[in-house]
Amino acid sequence: MEISAWAERIRQGQKRAIARGISFIENRDPRREALLQSLYPYTGSAALIGVTGAPGAGKSSLVDRLIDAIRREGKTVGVVAVDPSSPFTGGALLGDRVRMTRHALDDGVFIRSMGSRGHLGGLAVATREAAVVLDAAGIDVIFVETVGVGQSEIDIMHLVDTVALVLPPGSGDAVQVFKAGIMEAADLFIVNKAEQPGTERLVKDIEELLDLSGSHRPWRPPIVKTSVKDEMGTDEMWRQLKRHRRYLMESGEGERRQRAHLRREVEAMVEEELRRRLQGRLEDSAIKTDLDRLQQREWTPQQVARKWMAHLAAGKGGDRE
Ligand SMILES: Nc1nc2c(ncn2[C@@H]2O[C@H](COP(=O)(O)OP(=O)(O)OP(=O)(O)O)[C@@H](O)[C@H]2O)c(=O)[nH]1
Ligand SMILES: [Mg+2]
């Protein structure tokens, strides 16, 4: 199919065209670049919401409920569930980890799970590109669900407008979560499974940590107690997500954040390309020789870096695809 005709189908929100677009992204198909280019002008209006937290915290269950609230408002929803620990999913519509199958027949809901393939930086790029496809398709709200609170999640969270961090009570010391670096990224704290003991304790811990670290910030992240089991709190979660979006738009913070994200996105691409070229340009034997020099303390890492940079600069670029 012609790229332009295909892009048009995506823009009309046709599910099969969208799914195929995301498959191209996952497979790193060379044609994806032309597709993304024709879609890009039509993006920028979707609300991008990251939902992160430890495995089993209830992220998918919460998103499943939020979909109800959003659909009641007549808006469309996309979900990209990213799991860095699982192998490439091959475009499987839903893994076991995505508890949203009941929405599968709704034309206003598009759900996709993405596993890792290659390195994690690539996964963040692929997630971003999948969001571009959904955004161009006119989807109003796009959730990016990521498992865990490691570096790969932090990378992925730099792609979204709003970050909701889901914590179940009794998940250990909340302070540890904050130390993991996701604290600065969280715009909303969701204490899920709030029907369980330990909820008030966790809320209090989060409040105290917010008092310590964030009192000067213009947006104080709200703490929302939810229980998917007892059908409690998810409407409030959606209300707070909308409140944060309004804050982003009215304060100018949204624009600032988007620019920072775009810059990071471009920089990540440049870094990846440089690494690829470097690998293409340096012989394995040359790398071995340089590493020997370092280990023998004959050269410094700076000297080697300068040599490698000189190799890059000497090339015309793109010589090894
Ligand atoms: N008791 C209780 N269980 C819940 C609640 N929310 C979700 N669960 C259960 O917790 C388990 C994990 O829920 P998921 O929604 O799959 O959690 P997740 O964070 O998406 O999990 P991963 O994607 O595997 O990281 C499921 O068995 C849910 O039924 C809740 O509010 N209370
Ligand atoms: Mg999940």
Side-chain angles (χ1 to χ4, degrees):
M1 198 197 308
E2 287 251 342
I3 294 283
S4 58
W6 182 13
E8 184 54 37
R9 285 187 199 179
I10 289 175
R11 286 188 52 212
Q12 287 165 3
Q14 292 186 18
K15 273 192 171 180
R16 277 188 55 196
I18 297 170
R20 190 157 165 256
I22 296 179
S23 294
F24 267 48
I25 287 162
E26 280 189 316
N27 299 331
R28 312 297 291 158
D29 190 294
R31 285 164 290 177
R32 83 186 187 290
E33 195 168 326
L35 181 69
L36 288 167
Q37 197 171 330
S38 52
L39 293 175
Y40 204 72
Y42 305 100
T43 61
S45 46
L48 278 169
I49 300 171
V51 181
T52 192
K59 301 176 293 294
S60 301
S61 310
L62 285 166
V63 170
D64 176 73
R65 294 309 149 102
L66 291 170
I67 291 173
D68 287 333
I70 296 166
R71 294 297 290 140
R72 277 201 301 274
E73 293 181 5
K75 293 180 179 143
T76 50
V77 191
V79 182
V80 184
V82 190
D83 185 354
S85 67
S86 90
F88 180 53
T89 51
L93 183 63
L94 297 170
D96 278 351
R97 314 188 78 146
V98 188
R99 300 170 185 279
M100 306 162 207
T101 32
R102 65 197 178 91
H103 299 291
L105 293 176
D106 183 343
D107 270 340
V109 179
F110 188 94
I111 300 166
R112 181 68 169 244
S113 68
M114 278 189 107
S116 68
R117 187 192 208 195
H119 59 93
L120 295 174
L123 188 56
V125 171
T127 306
R128 170 76 231 166
E129 291 174 350
V132 163
V133 173
L134 294 173
D135 194 346
I139 286 172
D140 300 304
V141 182
I142 302 169
F143 289 103
V144 177
E145 178 189 330
T146 57
V147 180
V149 288
Q151 185 56 47
S152 57
E153 286 70 36
I154 294 174
D155 286 347
I156 289 166
M157 286 306 126
H158 279 294
L159 310 170
V160 299
D161 305 318
T162 298
V163 175
L165 176 58
V166 183
L167 302 165
S171 56
D173 193 352
V175 181
Q176 294 309 317
V177 178
F178 289 91
K179 279 188 184 150
I182 199 85
M183 163 88 189
E184 282 73 23
D187 301 301
L188 263 79
F189 289 92
I190 309 300
V191 176
N192 187 43
K193 310 195 184 183
E195 84 282 356
Q196 293 183 357
T199 296
E200 294 311 321
R201 171 83 245 163
L202 178 59
V203 169
K204 196 163 159 284
D205 284 350
I206 299 168
E207 291 283 9
E208 277 170 15
L209 286 158
L210 286 174
D211 287 341
L212 283 175
S213 67
S215 50
H216 57 283
R217 287 195 279 174
W219 170 267
R220 183 181 168 105
I223 305 169
V224 184
K225 288 184 275 187
T226 58
S227 169
V228 176
K229 188 163 168 276
D230 287 359
E231 300 189 10
M232 180 197 96
T234 46
D235 284 347
E236 173 63 8
M237 180 176 173
W238 175 230
R239 203 179 68 78
Q240 292 289 352
L241 285 168
K242 286 191 289 190
R243 191 170 77 87
H244 187 254
R245 183 163 173 80
R246 268 200 311 280
Y247 158 75
L248 288 177
M249 297 209 282
E250 286 165 8
S251 66
E253 168 66 12
E255 198 134 309
R256 197 200 58 75
R257 213 176 256 208
Q258 265 177 13
R259 286 181 79 84
H261 291 175
L262 289 169
R263 176 175 178 162
R264 185 181 278 261
E265 189 181 355
V266 174
E267 283 174 353
M269 283 174 185
V270 171
E271 277 165 24
E272 193 176 319
E273 178 64 16
L274 283 178
R275 200 169 298 129
R276 197 184 63 78
R277 287 197 189 174
L278 194 59
Q279 276 161 6
R281 200 165 296 279
L282 287 172
E283 300 285 337
D284 285 348
S285 61
I287 295 175
K288 188 181 165 300
T289 307
D290 290 341
L291 292 178
D292 287 344
R293 285 172 174 149
L294 289 172
Q295 231 164 9
Q296 315 287 333
R297 300 297 188 264
E298 290 165 11
W299 285 33
T300 65
Q302 288 83 353
Q303 283 175 302
V304 174
R306 220 167 282 133
K307 180 187 158 195
W308 288 11
M309 289 298 291
H311 270 280
L312 274 178
K316 305 268 185 298
D319 49 335
R320 198 179 88 168
E321 270 302 316

